[in-house]
Every structure is written in structure tokens, then in C-alpha cells.
Amino acid sequence: MAPWTLTMEPGALAATLAIMGVAGYLHTVSGFGLGMIVMGAAGGLGVASVPVLAAVVSLVTLVNSAVALPGKWRGLGAHRIMALAVGIVPSIMVGVWLLSWLDATFTVLLTLLLGALVLSGGISIGLQPRPRHAESRSWTFAASGVLTGLCGGLFGVPGPPVIYHCYRQPLPLETIRLLLILCFAITSGVRTLYVASHGGLTGDVWQLALWSMPVVGGTTWLGRRYPPPCSAGLMRRLAMLTLIGLGAVILLKGVLLLASG
């Protein structure tokens, strides 16, 4: 199989790595955004197939989490983590199977689903849910984990449901941010193992991942060491507008493909 340096235009590779870097930084300082920004921007550019990008996103998310979490994950609540994992693990397998089927039979629908996911991600960030007076029961974390695993299996992106659910909890924002990063790490780790067991970690996946990992690792370190000199509210608005714009463009692309077909 030809290496990425031969099969991918240098400009497209540079753009993809820039997207990875920005997404890694935003994910570190806000707790969300890496997968949706990468899938939205790189997927919209068409630099690689959705299955390849989803597998790469899972791998680089593990790198991001490995840099962002050490020494900070304690105190997140074993009951929350276990409930999320119970929902995530089985639904990831369904999501990966659905991705394989759609990529082979109905790529336009796959494009529309990706656009809808990215758009809903941006909208959910802008909703600013009001925290509950008491923490939700464990089964609600498991239910949001099911939706997270399904989105993660499809696109390597834990979707808006878990973000919205966690931000509704009466917990410190730093705890929520780290809980989301850990949730994304669980999703990415399980997805990677499942895809690898079915031969899905191809040469294309590894080559793009190896280009991307040091970029994401570096910007994650920058996010920990040099957080942006702006309010959390401004970061949320920036992420919201970015994802809404990307989602709208991808949806338009899917509609045009559907109309031309």
C-alpha cells in the first residue's frame, strides 16, 4: 500500500494536521471538540474515507487523553465511570457495524448523519444546560453511554448526549471536563480494540495516525501548560460556532449529493 506522502497531497496533509492540532488544543482546554472538529473539517475536505478518519480519531484521542489525564482522573466517581462504560461498550460494536454497512451501501446517508452529528454537537454546546439540584442516577449515565458508544462506533466521536448530560450535573466544571475526556478515552480505546480485532487498522490508518499523534500530543501539552487567556464562555461560543458551521457545510454537501444522484 502506498504511503500517505505519495497518496495524499502535501497541502491536504498539512491542512489535516493543522485541524488535528487545533482540535487537540480545544479538546484539552474545554473537554470536548477533538473528534467532531476533525471529522467535520477533515471529513468535509474529503481527505480520507470516513472509516479511516474515524479510526485515526480514536487513536489520536487516546494520545490526547494520555497527556491530559495523568494525575487528574481520581475523584471522578467510580459509579459514574462504570455506568458510562456499561452503556458504551456494547453500543460501540453496533456503531462500527453500521458504519461499515453505510460506507458500502449508502455513503450519502453517512455524510448526512455526520453533518447532523457535528451540527447537533455545536447546538448542544450553545444550550448551556442548567445544572440539576441533585446528581442524576447511575442508569442515566448508562443511557447516555449507549448513545455515546453508538456515535463513537459510527464516527469515532462520542456525541452530544453525554456532553449535555454531564453539564447538567451539579459538579465542578473541572470535574465535568475531566469526566468527558475519560469518557472519550474509554470510547476510543474500546473502539480501537474492536476495529483492530476485525482488521480495520489498515496501513492508511496507521500512517495518518503516526503523522497526527505528535501534533495532537504537542497541542495537548500546550493546552495544559498554556490555557487561553479568555473566559470559558468565549471558548464555548467559539466551539459552538465552529461546529455549527462545519455541520451545516457537510449537510449541504450531503443534500447536493443526494439531489445529483
Side-chain angles (χ1 to χ4, degrees), residues 164-179:
Y164 184 82
H165 184 70
C166 286
Y167 272 100
R168 287 209 65 199
Q169 305 310 310
L171 299 170
L173 289 179
E174 178 68 2
T175 300
I176 293 173
R177 184 184 73 86
L178 293 172
L179 184 62

Side-chain angles (χ1 to χ4, degrees), residues 211-246:
W211 278 103
S212 303
M213 284 179 180
V215 174
V216 172
T219 56
T220 299
W221 178 85
L222 286 174
R224 287 190 66 176
R225 186 70 176 83
Y226 303 104
C230 60
S231 66
L234 180 59
M235 289 299 300
R236 288 178 67 90
R237 287 193 291 272
L238 177 61
M240 176 189 70
L241 294 174
T242 299
L243 293 174
I244 288 176
L246 289 172

